[in-house]
Every structure is written in structure tokens, then in C-alpha cells.
Amino acid sequence: MSDTSSNHPQYPSAEPPAKKQLWGPWTALWIGFLIFVVPMFVIAEIAYLTHWNMPNQDLQQFYMYAGSIAITLILLRMVLQKRYNIGFKQLGLNHFYFRYIGYALLTLPIYFICSAALTEIVSSLYHGFNIAQQQNTGFTGSAHSSVLELTAVFVSLVIIPPLVEETLFRGFLLQGMRKRFPAVIAVILVSLIFGAAHGQLNVGIDTFTLSCFLCFLRIKTESLWPGILLHATKNFIAFIALYHLFQSFF
């Protein structure tokens, strides 16, 4: 007896095929590089071609940085929505709980100790290592800068990087790395990339160590908020130290 079901046309399912919910490490790397680095060069090129030159260098740096970061976030949101049908919430920007503040504050001194220890080890092994090299932030202000200038630097160093870098590195990049590698290897790879992105050996060692703890918080809490708080606190301390604001307070 013949199979009469073969005489009927095969209609497509009413439900569209599900989109991929996770990306791999190579996809995370090239997309992350493009949406993070390219906007900076585009904004800088536009400023050069239009001869845009504000009297205050710090304010100009702030506007250029904020503009490139805005483009980065828009592009990342488009990639997540169009290609994977998810939003920032799925990267770890979910509900905020006050206990996350405690996690960040408890982790802060442990991170400082580990960073100092690792820096000392590298310094003892590499005699050309300049532990006191000042970080190049792109800003030239000081404790004598105006309130507007210091506010621009504060937002650029303390507010924007924790939000954007945690979303991109400990959200998008870490999630991609964990698809292929065990958690420990993924954390090390993300932290090496994060440290190298800062372009200075002494800063890179510190940011590598910081990233390891940020990744740990992301994995253990399944949220980016504890890492954002830790990152912001660390950058706030660095902001105070870099601009010698203790001299203004006391």
C-alpha cells in the first residue's frame, strides 16, 4: 500500500527557525574589535577632517570618547538584537540587588593584594619593568582644573568604562569564550585581552588581575552589576590618585 502522505505538499512550519543564542570566541573577538575600536578611529578622523579643535583638550577628549562609546553600544545592541534576538539583559545587565555592593567591596581588597603581588613578581623577573609609569588616560587635567573639566574626566574614567567594558568584555566576550573553553581558560583569555588593550605593561598587569576578579563575579552571580561596581570603585580610587585630589580635600 502506497504512502499517501507523500502526495501532500510539505508546508513550512508556522514558527520561524530559532536564532542562535550564543556566539563563539572568534565571533566575539572580531565583532568586539570592530564595534569597540573602529568607532574611535572614525570619530578621530572626523575631528581631524573637520578641524574640530576645542580650546579645552579634556572637554574635546570627553566628547570624542563619549561619541565613540555611544556608537559602540548602538552597534552592540544591533548585533544582539538582529543576529541573536537578545538584549543587554542576557549579557548580565539584569536585576540589581543591594548585596552586589557587598560583593564588590569584599572583592576590592583581595584584588589589590593580588595585583600588588603579581606586579612584584613581574618586577623581580623583568628588570626593565617600570612599575611607576603613569597611566596615559588621554586627559591632561589636574586638581586645579575647573569643575566642568573634572566632571568630564570623572564620567570618562569612572562611569563610562565600567558600564561599557563590563558589557563588552565580561558580557559579550566572556560568554563567547565560555562556549569553547572551560571557565578558567575563558577567564584567562578575556583578562589577557583586557590587559593588553590598555597598552602599558604595569597597567596591563593590574587590569589583567582586575579582569580575573570581574570575570569571577560575573560567573558566580550571573550578573554584570557586581563587576561594574568593583570596576567603578577601582577607577574612582585611581581618579583621585591621578589628579591628586587628596590635596584639595585636606
Side-chain angles (χ1 to χ4, degrees):
M1 187 174 179
S2 62
D3 183 5
T4 57
S5 64
S6 61
N7 298 326
H8 297 283
Q10 298 297 314
Y11 294 103
S13 171
E15 296 183 0
K19 295 185 179 182
K20 293 186 298 181
Q21 294 300 310
L22 195 61
W23 43 92
W26 296 115
T27 301
L29 280 172
W30 74 262
I31 289 180
F33 177 82
L34 287 178
I35 65 177
F36 188 68
V37 176
V38 172
M40 296 183 182
F41 283 101
V42 171
I43 293 293
E45 188 65 20
I46 291 174
Y48 173 76
L49 293 176
T50 59
H51 303 287
W52 184 46
N53 188 20
M54 294 183 63
N56 187 283
Q57 182 177 341
D58 283 349
L59 290 178
Q60 178 168 328
Q61 179 74 9
F62 166 72
Y63 289 126
M64 293 174 62
Y65 178 60
S68 67
I69 288 300
I71 297 173
T72 293
L73 289 177
I74 292 172
L75 292 176
L76 180 57
R77 183 67 176 84
M78 291 174 59
V79 169
L80 294 175
Q81 181 63 44
K82 299 296 184 181
R83 189 166 183 175
Y84 301 101
N85 198 27
I86 62 174
F88 289 138
K89 182 178 180 180
Q90 284 72 27
L91 292 185
L93 287 174
N94 41 27
H95 297 294
F96 179 87
Y97 299 102
F98 283 102
R99 64 174 178 270
Y100 292 160
I101 300 175
Y103 294 160
L105 294 179
L106 286 173
T107 307
L108 184 67
I110 304 174
Y111 143 67
F112 276 135
I113 293 171
C114 292
S115 178
L118 184 58
T119 301
E120 186 63 30
I121 292 172
V122 174
S123 179
S124 63
L125 295 176
Y126 176 45
H127 298 293
F129 175 50
N130 182 10
I131 192 174
Q133 182 181 7
Q134 187 172 2
Q135 182 177 0
N136 180 16
T137 63
F139 294 94
T140 60
S142 67
H144 304 292
S145 300
S146 68
V147 174
L148 180 60
E149 294 165 5
L150 286 176
T151 301
V153 176
F154 176 84
V155 172
S156 299
L157 299 183
V158 181
I159 304 298
I160 294 178
L163 287 170
V164 177
E165 292 175 2
E166 293 313 301
T167 303
L168 190 60
F169 284 90
R170 263 64 62 178
F172 187 71
L173 184 56
L174 180 62
Q175 194 162 326
M177 290 294 180
R178 291 187 69 194
K179 184 178 181 182
R180 177 67 59 85
F181 304 107
V184 173
I185 301 300
V187 168
I188 292 175
L189 290 174
V190 170
S191 300
L192 285 173
I193 295 170
F194 186 66
H198 285 77
Q200 294 177 223
L201 181 57
N202 62 331
V203 178
I205 294 171
D206 177 71
T207 50
F208 167 82
T209 309
L210 175 65
S211 178
C212 289
F213 284 96
L214 294 172
C215 291
F216 171 78
L217 288 173
R218 169 66 181 90
I219 293 172
K220 297 300 290 186
T221 65
E222 298 183 349
S223 174
L224 289 174
W225 289 115
I228 290 173
L229 292 170
L230 173 61
H231 197 159
T233 304
K234 182 264 181 183
N235 282 14
F236 176 71
I237 295 173
F239 169 75
I240 294 292
L242 284 171
Y243 289 87
H244 309 290
L245 295 184
F246 282 120
Q247 298 176 5
S248 301
F249 296 154
F250 301 101

